């Protein structure tokens, strides 16, 4: 992704203001993680309660992915939408934090 200056900042604002709350209420979702490498890529990783819940979400998302808010901010549709098996998840000794942003890890855009 050859993202224009400010793209990651816009993506952060979108996640904080809209997307986090939307997915916090998504039936069947265990968790979603938003990941990015500035100027290169942005992704969402999802873990659902069942393969059926994942398949239903994926089917719905694939229909609208190119018009999604994230795609509009980036300027392109997702390159890859891929199902996978989650072999295991562990909660480390520091615990799990659900948050719309992680200030301590931010680097200005």
């Amino acid at each position: 992704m050859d993202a224009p200056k400010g793209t990651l900042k816009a993506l952060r604002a979108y996640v904080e203001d809209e997307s986090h709350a939307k997915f916090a209420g998504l039936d069947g979702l265990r968790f979603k993680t938003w990941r990015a490498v500035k100027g290169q890529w942005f992704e969402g990783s999802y873990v659902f309660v069942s393969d059926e819940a994942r398949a239903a979400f994926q089917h719905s998302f694939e229909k609208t992915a190119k018009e999604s808010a994230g795609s509009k901010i980036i300027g392109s549709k997702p390159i890859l939408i891929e199902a996978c098996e989650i072999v295991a998840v562990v909660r480390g000794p520091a615990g799990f934090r659900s948050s719309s942003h992680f200030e301590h890890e931010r680097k200005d855009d």
Side-chain angles (χ1 to χ4, degrees):
M1 166 172 111
D2 294 324
K5 185 176 175 92
T7 298
L8 184 54
K9 186 175 184 178
L11 287 166
R12 283 188 201 120
Y14 164 67
V15 170
E16 291 173 16
D17 297 342
E18 296 178 45
S19 191
H20 187 271
K22 173 185 167 185
F23 285 99
L26 181 63
D27 192 40
L29 182 70
R30 288 202 187 274
F31 67 87
K32 176 179 180 179
T33 302
W34 292 261
R35 300 182 342 131
V37 172
K38 184 179 174 182
Q40 295 181 34
W41 54 263
F42 177 74
E43 74 170 24
S45 297
Y46 307 77
V47 176
F48 288 89
V49 297
S50 67
D51 190 50
E52 293 79 17
R54 190 259 333 134
F57 171 77
Q58 183 175 342
H59 178 72
S60 173
F61 181 67
E62 285 175 338
K63 291 180 181 179
T64 62
K66 67 181 180 179
E67 293 92 24
S68 72
S71 293
K72 288 179 181 178
I73 293 167
I74 293 166
S76 69
K77 66 181 184 176
I79 295 168
L80 177 66
I81 299 174
E82 174 179 64
C84 67
E85 177 183 348
I86 304 301
V87 176
V89 175
V90 65
R91 186 181 80 180
F96 181 80
R97 177 179 159 208
S98 180
S99 178
S100 65
H101 64 280
F102 282 78
E103 288 289 336
H104 66 279
E105 296 177 6
R106 249 188 211 180
K107 295 182 175 90
D108 287 336
D109 193 16

